[in-house]
Amino acid sequence: MTVYLDHNAAAPLRPAAAAAVAAAMGLIGNPSSVHDHGRRARRLIEDARTAVALSAGARPADVVFTGSGTEACQLALRIGGRTRLLASASEHAAVLQAPAGARLLPLNGDGILDLAALEAALGADARDAIVAVMLANNETGTVQPVRKIAEIVHRAGGALVVDAAQAYGKLALDLNELGADAVAVSAAKIGGPLGVGAAIFRLGVAPQGLIVGGGQERGLRGGSENLIGIAGFGAAASEIDASIADQPRLKQLRDRMERAILMIDAEAVAIGGAGPRLANTAAIPMHGVEAATQVMAFDLAGYAVSAGAACSSGKVAASHVLQAMGLPSPTVAATIRISLGLTTTAADTAGFVEAWRTLYNRKRQ
Amino acid sequence: MTLAHPRKAAPVTDAPIYLDYQATTPLDRRALDAMLPFLQEEFGNPHSIQHGFGRKAEAAVEQARANIADLIGADPREIVFTSGATEANNLAIIGAARFRARMGDGVKRVLVFAFEHKCVLEAARSLSDEGFTVETLPVTADGFADLTALEAALKTPTSLVCLMAANNEIGVIQPVAEAAQLTRAAGALLHVDAAQAVGKFPLDATALGIDLMSISGHKMYGPKGMGALFVRRRPRARLLPLFHGGGQERGLRSGTLPPPLIVGFGAAARIAAAELDAESKRLERLSLLFRETLKTSGAIFTVNGALTPRLAGNLNIAFKDAPALDVMAAAPHIAVATGSACSSASVEPSYVLSALGLSPEVAATSLRIGFGRQTTEAEVVAAAKALAAAAGQAARPDAAA
């Protein structure tokens, strides 16, 4: 059985989410129908909305369910009347590919947004600007100083949209404490099902809808709701505290794994390790071995890891995140991501270290 | 971790009877069974194709894509997965209209029929904010698209025509092939909202000459939150995506695909293809039985829209002088609807029935009744008797005056 160390791409369903999904599968109604079947489906969705709101320090009315984290990001970016998009250079493609085109803001060597560059880009009057920053990066786990960023953005009159997809369930998320005008999250990253996300807006902030239709989600997102997806999302969100409480354990496993690998190869490095990071994510180069080669070799050895973001992992393009940190291209080309989660054990990470050692020794011969 | 099967409700005589299959259908048990492994051990991200978890998920997604393509006579490469028919309709209408306006000859004109689903009308309306001309075409009293009006309207250069395959309220099946001929001759694309139609009667998108066609998972016994858009390859229907990201679905629809939902959708398509003929004949018999039972129970009613060609599982019935909401209140265990689910909380008369030329009074006495895979003869008889009695109670001959 292959050991799964790619939790940042997709995580197994939490048991409570699986139970909620199974229960929802047995319901018949359309949540918009007024008969009893419909009302029961509606109740399930509204309970899930409350759970998701609580997990992000928001009100239920601020939560708009979407079909993915990507759609949630794009919806969050459509907050009223702003024409200029500034984004950190390490944003997910869901943000960087926005149609109007984003102006990229540089990062320092630890992957942290350059705050002076942000201030300069905003200018004195940024009432036309949206700044997009991810709370934690999906490839390196680097955590941005979002509260500080929010102060700078708001001082200039800008709006702040935070892609919290990867941080969700790993760091406590509170919309107001962050100072974000909108955040985007994805159920799959917290042990909920794939195919459902949410954009969460601060009181008084509303976007222009992206998918119009039957008036669902207060007119902000048309389409019959993904009942089982949303039910699973709600159940996973109800357990957000347990997920966050598991992080110190993962940090210990991750740190021990990194130290062991760095002892095998003095050239190896824990990318982003000097700055604040998620507890579960490691990005480590094996110099001279292409990331794709490593991933395939580890797959054969029984370890599922990745060469970067899943949406682009089938492609050969070098990671824009690692490039933005100023890493030399041989390092970028040789870096893989190892991401731990709920099901990861000490035996898993120890076994991976041995697989790493084996591949490293083989490649050096 | 194990997923238990949802418990089946014990059949009792006054048990609720679900007759709202146009709002949504229950997930077929076989589709559910197909989904379970992908909710448990096979949880990989289908785009992580460098490891086994991802490849298994990807293979399952592609198998489902082939099943859906088979059902509608398409090539798997013509299927773009979306979060539902609403998103597929948005992508088709906004995407195709914008493509021609921005990348083509600049034509900015869209035609929709008055009885289209609300999300089609809304998507078209949103284009008018971008400077598009959106023209609404009439439908006949029987509930058919007025093709004479379409032909006349197509004399002006047009980018897109929207005609649904079967209406969601009155179930009338539309002359899609004829509309496709007219549309193609005029150099426009035809978009067909087939949410209610796919899996209910044979619908070959290629043979019919359809350019873009929206499909819904949960209207054909698959899961909610899943749909697809058929995008013709020859000649190619060109689109701009609604939103951007990782570039999945050949750049037309970014976002991680959800394998459990897709597998359920694919299984539902496979089941529909195998059972469509027998099931539609069974539903026709149930529909006839329902109408006969209403008559023998003394109900006075008319059927809105032509009886044929019509979705076998749909009736839209006006009970003489009996307000629909009162009929529903008098028979609360029968789950029926006054119109589409999205607007079922609204008190406005149905715009679909208005488009047929029905008066607000008749529209207010109309109920949509939908039969489906789990509907039994006993349920049909019991529901017809209960609704006939409820209509008798609710009838207010003076109120109609």
Side-chain angles (χ1 to χ4, degrees):
Chain A
M1 184 61 195
T2 302
V3 172
Y4 189 75
L5 295 175
D6 196 13
H7 285 79
N8 285 12
L13 270 190
R14 294 182 76 89
V21 163
M25 279 175 155
L27 283 189
I28 295 179
N30 182 318
S32 294
S33 294
V34 290
H35 45 63
D36 184 55
H37 294 88
R39 287 198 306 272
R40 267 185 284 162
R42 166 62 47 205
R43 201 171 312 134
L44 204 68
I45 288 186
E46 295 314 319
D47 287 350
R49 192 187 308 282
T50 301
V52 170
L54 286 173
S55 75
R59 305 175 316 150
D62 301 328
V63 175
V64 179
F65 287 120
T66 65
S68 66
T70 293
E71 187 193 333
C73 282
Q74 299 262 329
L75 182 62
L77 289 173
R78 289 167 68 90
I79 50 184
R82 293 173 185 267
T83 50
R84 209 153 49 102
L85 174 60
L86 308 175
S88 88
S90 60
E91 292 305 294
H92 190 274
V95 168
L96 293 184
Q97 299 298 320
R103 173 166 170 196
L104 295 190
L105 303 172
L107 311 176
N108 69 20
D110 289 332
I112 305 288
L113 182 67
D114 180 336
L115 300 185
L118 168 66
E119 279 198 80
L122 282 166
D125 182 357
R127 278 174 298 180
D128 60 343
I130 295 182
V131 174
V133 168
M134 59 207 319
L135 183 49
N137 184 267
N138 50 314
E139 294 186 31
T140 60
T142 297
V143 177
Q144 298 293 342
V146 170
R147 287 178 64 179
K148 235 185 270 174
I149 292 169
E151 277 172 34
I152 295 170
V153 171
H154 288 146
R155 203 184 308 135
L160 178 66
V161 172
V162 173
D163 171 4
Q166 208 54 253
Y168 191 39
K170 296 165 193 151
L171 301 174
L173 185 61
D174 186 306
L175 188 63
N176 289 310
E177 212 169 285
L178 275 180
D181 294 286
V183 301
V185 294
S186 156
K189 307 294 189 201
I190 61 165
L194 279 166
V196 54
I200 308 174
F201 297 91
R202 199 161 71 167
L203 183 63
V205 176
Q208 196 194 343
L210 193 59
I211 296 173
V212 295
Q216 292 92 345
E217 299 294 294
R218 290 175 292 121
L220 295 176
R221 209 283 185 174
S224 289
E225 294 88 341
N226 173 358
L227 191 61
I228 62 177
I230 291 172
F233 190 2
S238 303
E239 295 195 337
I240 203 89
D241 290 343
S243 173
I244 292 168
D246 194 33
Q247 299 306 306
R249 180 184 74 88
L250 297 179
K251 182 173 189 312
Q252 201 178 24
L253 294 183
R254 191 268 319 262
D255 290 350
R256 202 182 297 158
M257 173 183 78
E258 282 181 344
R259 278 196 303 271
I261 288 174
L262 267 52
M263 275 159 60
I264 298 168
D265 176 12
E267 265 191 276
V269 57
I271 290 172
R277 268 195 305 168
L278 293 179
N280 79 314
T281 308
I284 302 174
M286 184 188 286
H287 284 98
V289 187
E290 286 288 330
T293 309
Q294 290 181 56
V295 170
M296 282 183 270
F298 287 130
D299 188 37
L300 287 174
Y303 293 88
V305 296
S306 87
C311 30
S312 54
S313 64
K315 306 166 196 160
V316 285
S319 158
H320 71 283
V321 175
L322 302 179
Q323 285 175 329
M325 292 170 76
L327 291 166
S329 28
T331 304
V332 172
T335 299
I336 61 163
R337 174 181 73 182
I338 306 110
S339 50
L340 322 185
L342 180 67
T343 54
T344 308
T345 64
D348 294 345
T349 45
F352 178 74
V353 169
E354 288 319 304
W356 204 95
R357 184 195 312 277
T358 305
L359 180 65
Y360 177 76
N361 288 336
R362 199 168 74 216
K363 291 292 171 185
R364 271 173 42 119
Q365 279 162 12
Chain B
M1 169 185 11
T2 51
L3 292 176
H5 276 303
R7 205 173 301 145
K8 219 178 179 176
V12 281
T13 44
D14 59 346
I17 299 176
Y18 186 78
L19 295 181
D20 198 10
Y21 278 81
Q22 275 83 53
T24 188
T25 59
L27 183 61
D28 190 286
R29 175 60 56 95
R30 294 162 289 179
L32 185 157
D33 284 337
M35 293 168 71
L36 290 179
F38 292 89
L39 287 162
Q40 299 177 83
E41 58 271 23
E42 308 295 353
F43 57 84
N45 181 321
H47 314 293
S48 303
I49 54 173
Q50 288 166 336
H51 56 62
F53 291 88
R55 282 194 299 271
K56 278 188 195 159
E58 191 209 23
V61 164
E62 294 314 315
Q63 179 57 54
R65 197 190 300 278
N67 289 341
I68 291 155
D70 280 349
L71 178 63
I72 61 163
D75 182 300
R77 291 170 296 178
E78 294 177 316
I79 303 297
V80 173
F81 285 119
T82 65
S83 68
T86 292
E87 186 185 343
N89 284 333
N90 274 256
L91 173 59
I93 296 166
I94 297 171
R98 281 183 184 160
F99 186 92
R100 178 136 173 213
R102 294 180 193 171
M103 327 287 275
D105 57 6
V107 168
K108 297 178 90 171
R109 184 160 180 270
V110 172
L111 305 175
V112 296
F113 285 91
F115 62 1
E116 290 295 312
H117 189 274
K118 200 172 163 212
C119 70
V120 169
L121 299 179
E122 285 293 310
R125 196 198 51 73
S126 78
L127 284 169
S128 62
D129 298 343
E130 297 177 24
F132 285 79
T133 306
V134 178
E135 208 169 299
T136 306
L137 301 177
V139 298
T140 68
D142 280 348
F144 293 104
D146 185 337
L147 294 185
T148 317
L150 173 63
E151 201 170 359
L154 282 170
K155 296 210 161 78
T156 309
T158 299
S159 32
L160 185 71
V161 174
C162 300
L163 172 60
M164 65 206 315
N167 182 269
N168 53 313
E169 293 192 29
I170 55 172
V172 176
I173 295 172
Q174 300 301 316
V176 167
E178 293 85 336
Q181 276 177 6
L182 295 173
T183 303
R184 185 159 299 171
L189 294 179
L190 178 67
H191 166 251
V192 173
D193 171 7
Q196 294 289 349
V198 170
K200 311 293 168 51
F201 59 91
L203 195 62
D204 186 316
T206 307
L208 288 168
I210 294 167
D211 296 297
L212 299 158
M213 185 167 93
S214 304
I215 313 171
S216 165
H218 78 102
K219 308 281 193 196
M220 51 182 270
Y221 307 92
K224 290 178 188 56
M226 201 61 233
L229 180 66
F230 160 82
V231 183
R232 179 182 277 273
R233 283 172 68 85
R234 289 202 190 87
R236 185 181 287 272
R238 293 193 174 275
L239 303 178
L240 292 178
L242 270 185
F243 53 86
H244 304 256
Q248 292 93 344
E249 297 298 276
R250 292 180 303 285
L252 287 177
R253 204 280 187 172
S254 286
T256 302
L257 290 174
L261 297 178
I262 291 175
V263 166
F265 187 19
R270 186 167 40 74
I271 295 164
E275 300 182 355
L276 179 154
D277 286 338
E279 177 65 2
S280 60
K281 288 195 181 80
R282 190 185 76 91
L283 292 177
E284 269 170 34
R285 287 197 299 275
L286 290 183
S287 176
L288 184 63
L289 177 65
F290 184 83
R291 281 174 278 139
E292 293 302 323
T293 311
L294 277 184
K295 279 183 204 157
T296 55
S297 306
I300 306 169
F301 65 94
T302 51
V303 176
N304 297 322
L307 257 178
T308 51
R310 188 185 190 102
L311 292 175
N314 171 277
L315 283 174
N316 194 300
I317 282 179
F319 286 106
K320 189 169 165 43
D321 301 330
L325 292 173
D326 295 349
V327 175
M328 288 170 73
H333 63 297
I334 315 291
V336 292
T338 52
S340 95
C342 345
S343 49
S344 60
S346 147
V347 290
E348 295 288 308
S350 150
Y351 68 84
V352 172
L353 298 180
S354 303
L356 267 60
L358 293 175
S359 68
E361 289 76 22
V362 172
T365 63
S366 295
L367 281 178
R368 178 179 72 178
I369 295 150
F371 312 105
R373 207 172 272 168
Q374 289 183 2
T375 311
T376 63
E377 272 187 28
E379 282 184 326
V380 162
V381 170
K385 285 181 177 164
L387 287 174
Q393 265 178 51
R396 289 186 303 193
D398 350 328

